Amino acid sequence: MKHDCFRHPVTILVGLGFPAEIRGLREAYAWLNEWPPSKRNATHAIALNACRAALAGEIDVETARGTFVAFARRASLLAPEAIIAGGGADARAQAGNSRSV
């Protein structure tokens, strides 16, 4: 595994609601950079700064992932399965078929 890959990808909804997997820091950072300036807020700035810091080796990759998940959740971009399962394959396995939130 590369040092900038997330342990578990973050699934977000893009365009007309199509799921896209963000697998690592570079993808998350690029995606955050493309976010429209008019929609940027404090959560966006925190996630962008965390990704930048993780790319520089200043913070842990999974810490940056957590800020990206928080941004995606706040912006209503986090895919429903990721919301239910906490964004990871291990959590989905533990959740089983339970879909209550």
Side-chain angles (χ1 to χ4, degrees), residues 10-82:
V10 178
T11 304
I12 59 172
L13 301 176
V14 297
L16 298 173
F18 294 102
E21 284 193 345
I22 305 299
R23 296 184 176 274
L25 285 173
R26 293 183 196 289
E27 282 183 78
Y29 184 75
W31 200 87
L32 288 163
N33 269 328
E34 293 174 8
W35 190 247
S38 63
K39 293 184 177 183
R40 295 180 183 190
N41 57 23
T43 309
H44 173 273
I46 291 167
L48 186 65
N49 289 335
C51 287
R52 186 180 299 128
L55 285 168
E58 297 169 2
I59 67 170
D60 182 69
V61 172
E62 293 304 312
T63 300
R65 180 190 180 278
T67 64
F68 183 76
V69 168
F71 164 75
R73 181 176 290 123
R74 181 112 180 182
S76 299
L77 299 173
L78 200 59
E81 182 177 281

